[in-house]
Amino acid sequence: MSLLSVEDALNRILGSARPSREMDQVALHDGLGRVLAQDLIANVTHPAFDNSAMDGYAVRHADVSAIGAELKVIGQSAAGHGFGGKLEPGQAVRIFTGAPLPAGADTVIIQEDTEKLPDGRIRTTFSPGKGRHIRLSGQDFAAGEIILRAGDVLDAGRLTVAAGMNHGSLPVFRKPKVAIVATGDELLTPGSTPGPDQIIASNSFGVAAIARDNGADILDLGIVADDAAVISAAVERARHAEADVLVTLGGASVGDHDLVQSTLLASGMTLDFWRIAMRPGKPLIVGQLGDMAVLGLPGNPVSSLVCSLLFLEPLVRKLARLPDRQRLSTALVADPLPANDKRQDYVRARLSINADGSLVAHPFGRQDSSMMKVFAQSDCLIVRAPNALEAPAGAPCQIVRLR
C-alpha cells in the first residue's frame, strides 16, 4: 500500500464520518459549545412591556415640547415596581432604567435635562423627541418567533438570548465519544516511579485534550500491554461503550511488538489505509470497526499530537457538527529551510511579529518526534510540501497555528 498524501488521507477520514442524529437535553449552564439540534422558539416577548432606556422622568411629549416646562412629579416607576396610576397633563413620573412606562406617558426625558424645583416639581432644560428613550414591547423579539436555528453553535450571545427566550434547557446534538487506549509494556501512568526500561505515558493526555477541546466526550481505556488478547479486550470495551472513535496510541507500525493493527483486523476492522507521506506521523492506522471509526496513532508524543491536530480534530468536529477550525495561516521563515523529500514536513516553530505586523516563524533546531518540550514551546508548525525547494530566510510559508 503506497503512502497517501495528507490531503487524501484527511478526505478519506472525513468522507466516511457520519454525525450522530441523537439529541441530549442540557441545562443552560452546560450549553457552551454545544450544537442546537432543533430550532428554538421564543417562549416570551422581549421586552415584555414598554420600558425606559434611561434614568429620568416619564412624561407626555405634548407637555415637554417647549424648554422650560414645569411638571408635577406624582410618583416613581422602578424595575420590578411599576407605577400603577395614569399620567395626566402637566404630570411626570420619576422613572429608572428598565422600569415599566406608566400609562399615559409617551416619552422619557433624562434627568440631566431637568432641574428640580423646591416644591418637588421639575423644569425641563431640553425638549426630547417624541418616544425618546423608550424600549417598546417586542422590539427585540416576540413570543413564537424563531431566534436560534438547528446547527447553531451555542456561545455567550446565543446562550444569553436562549435564557431571555425563557428556555431553562436546550436540545443539542450528542457529543461524539472518543475512546483512547495507550499500548506498550514500557508505559507507566504519570506519578509512578519508572524502573529500568520504563517510561511515563504522556500521549493520551494531549490527544484527549485535543478531542475534548473540539467537542468530544472522552473514554479513557488506560494503558494496555503489548499483548493481542489484552488489546482486543480494550477494543471490545470501546465497542461496548458505543464509542464513535477509537484512538490507539503506539504499536501502529509493523515491528514484532507492534500488535495493534493485526489485533484490530482480527477484531473485524476494515482497514482503509495505514501509511501517510508526512513527517512526523507516517504510520497511522485508519479503519472502521462496525459503527466505530479507528485511528491508530504513532507512539512518539509529537507524532501523535501532530496527527491528532491534522486528522482527529477535524474528524471530531465533523461528528460534533462543529464548523472547521481554521488553523492555517501564512508567515515568513526566519531561517533558511533545506529542500524537502517526498513526505510533507511539519516543522515545529515559535512565532514573532515584525514591526510591519507580519508573522515570522522561527524553526527549532531539533525536530525529533519524541521531543515534547519543543512541541510545548512551539506556536506553529511550518508546512513543508513534498519535494519543496530550499527556502531562504524571509520566504513566505504556510503554517498550522497551535495557539
Side-chain angles (χ1 to χ4, degrees), residues 199-259:
I199 61 174
I200 302 300
S202 58
N203 303 18
S204 59
F205 298 94
V207 172
I210 290 171
R212 188 178 290 113
D213 185 47
N214 288 283
D217 279 333
I218 304 301
L219 173 62
D220 185 1
L221 298 175
I223 300 169
V224 300
D226 290 318
D227 180 285
V230 179
I231 297 171
S232 180
V235 173
E236 287 307 307
R237 286 172 58 197
R239 297 183 71 178
H240 182 73
E242 298 183 333
D244 298 284
V245 183
L246 170 63
V247 177
T248 63
L249 301 173
S253 193
V254 290
D256 292 343
H257 297 283
D258 295 321
L259 305 176

Side-chain angles (χ1 to χ4, degrees), residues 334 347-352 360-364 377-380 382:
V347 180
R348 277 74 76 196
R350 61 181 179 83
L351 289 174
S352 65
V360 181
H362 304 258
F364 284 93
Q377 293 173 342
S378 297
D379 302 306
C380 71
I382 300 173

Side-chain angles (χ1 to χ4, degrees), residues 33-390:
R34 302 298 294 270
V35 180
L36 272 182
Q38 297 174 343
D39 293 348
L40 214 60
I41 295 173
N43 291 327
V44 295
T45 294
H46 183 258
F49 45 81
D50 295 349
N51 68 86
S52 178
M54 301 287 285
D55 290 348
Y57 296 90
V59 297
R60 297 168 67 251
H61 182 262
D63 291 336
V64 295
S65 58
I67 296 174
E70 295 184 3
L71 304 173
K72 180 182 180 181
V73 180
I74 62 170
Q76 73 171 24
S77 181
H81 303 280
F83 177 75
K86 181 179 179 181
L87 207 63
E88 300 294 344
Q91 295 179 338
V93 169
R94 181 75 165 108
I95 197 167
F96 300 94
T97 303
L101 191 70
D106 59 11
T107 302
V108 170
I109 184 170
I110 61 174
Q111 58 193 25
E112 293 89 341
D113 292 336
T114 64
E115 296 175 345
K116 287 185 177 181
L117 301 178
D119 59 1
R121 293 181 302 155
I122 60 167
R123 178 186 295 125
T124 64
T125 60
F126 176 79
S127 179
K130 187 175 183 179
R132 185 70 171 152
H133 304 308
I134 294 176
R135 299 173 179 143
L136 297 176
S137 174
Q139 74 175 33
D140 192 359
F141 53 80
E145 183 181 346
I146 298 174
I147 308 299
L148 300 176
R149 298 283 182 176
D152 284 347
V153 181
L154 294 169
D155 56 13
R158 288 168 175 158
L159 286 171
T160 298
V161 76
M165 294 157 66
N166 200 23
H167 286 275
S169 63
L170 302 171
V172 295
F173 286 107
R174 175 181 64 81
K175 287 185 176 184
K177 183 183 294 183
V178 175
I180 301 176
V181 58
T183 67
D185 292 341
E186 76 280 15
L187 299 179
L188 292 174
T189 56
S192 304
T193 301
D197 307 322
Q198 292 182 309
I199 61 174
I200 302 300
S202 58
N203 303 18
S204 59
F205 298 94
V207 172
I210 290 171
R212 188 178 290 113
D213 185 47
N214 288 283
D217 279 333
I218 304 301
L219 173 62
D220 185 1
L221 298 175
I223 300 169
V224 300
D226 290 318
D227 180 285
V230 179
I231 297 171
S232 180
V235 173
E236 287 307 307
R237 286 172 58 197
R239 297 183 71 178
H240 182 73
E242 298 183 333
D244 298 284
V245 183
L246 170 63
V247 177
T248 63
L249 301 173
S253 193
V254 290
D256 292 343
H257 297 283
D258 295 321
L259 305 176
V260 172
Q261 184 176 152
S262 60
T263 302
L264 287 166
L265 290 170
S267 298
M269 181 189 74
T270 301
L271 179 65
D272 188 353
F273 60 89
W274 71 278
R275 294 189 302 170
I276 302 177
M278 62 180 290
R279 182 190 299 108
K282 174 184 173 183
L284 181 97
I285 299 169
V286 175
Q288 194 74 28
L289 187 51
D291 293 331
M292 183 172 66
V294 177
L295 289 182
L297 302 184
N300 278 329
V302 174
S303 298
S304 67
L305 289 172
V306 170
C307 287
S308 293
L309 287 169
L310 296 181
F311 305 114
L312 180 60
E313 176 175 284
L315 172 59
V316 169
R317 293 188 76 82
K318 182 173 180 179
L319 294 175
R321 299 173 184 267
L322 293 170
D324 292 339
R325 176 168 278 175
Q326 300 301 317
R327 290 188 180 272
L328 290 179
S329 186
T330 56
L332 306 176
V333 291
D335 305 307
L337 294 173
N340 199 19
D341 60 16
K342 294 182 180 181
R343 288 197 278 170
Q344 186 150 297
D345 247 350
Y346 291 89
V347 180
R348 277 74 76 196
R350 61 181 179 83
L351 289 174
S352 65
I353 302 177
N354 274 337
D356 62 3
S358 58
L359 283 175
V360 181
H362 304 258
F364 284 93
R366 301 188 65 181
Q367 294 286 324
D368 190 277
S369 59
S370 68
M371 298 180 68
M372 295 175 280
K373 181 178 74 173
V374 171
F375 189 90
Q377 293 173 342
S378 297
D379 302 306
C380 71
L381 305 172
I382 300 173
V383 183
R384 297 283 286 151
N387 303 311
L389 301 177
E390 180 179 347

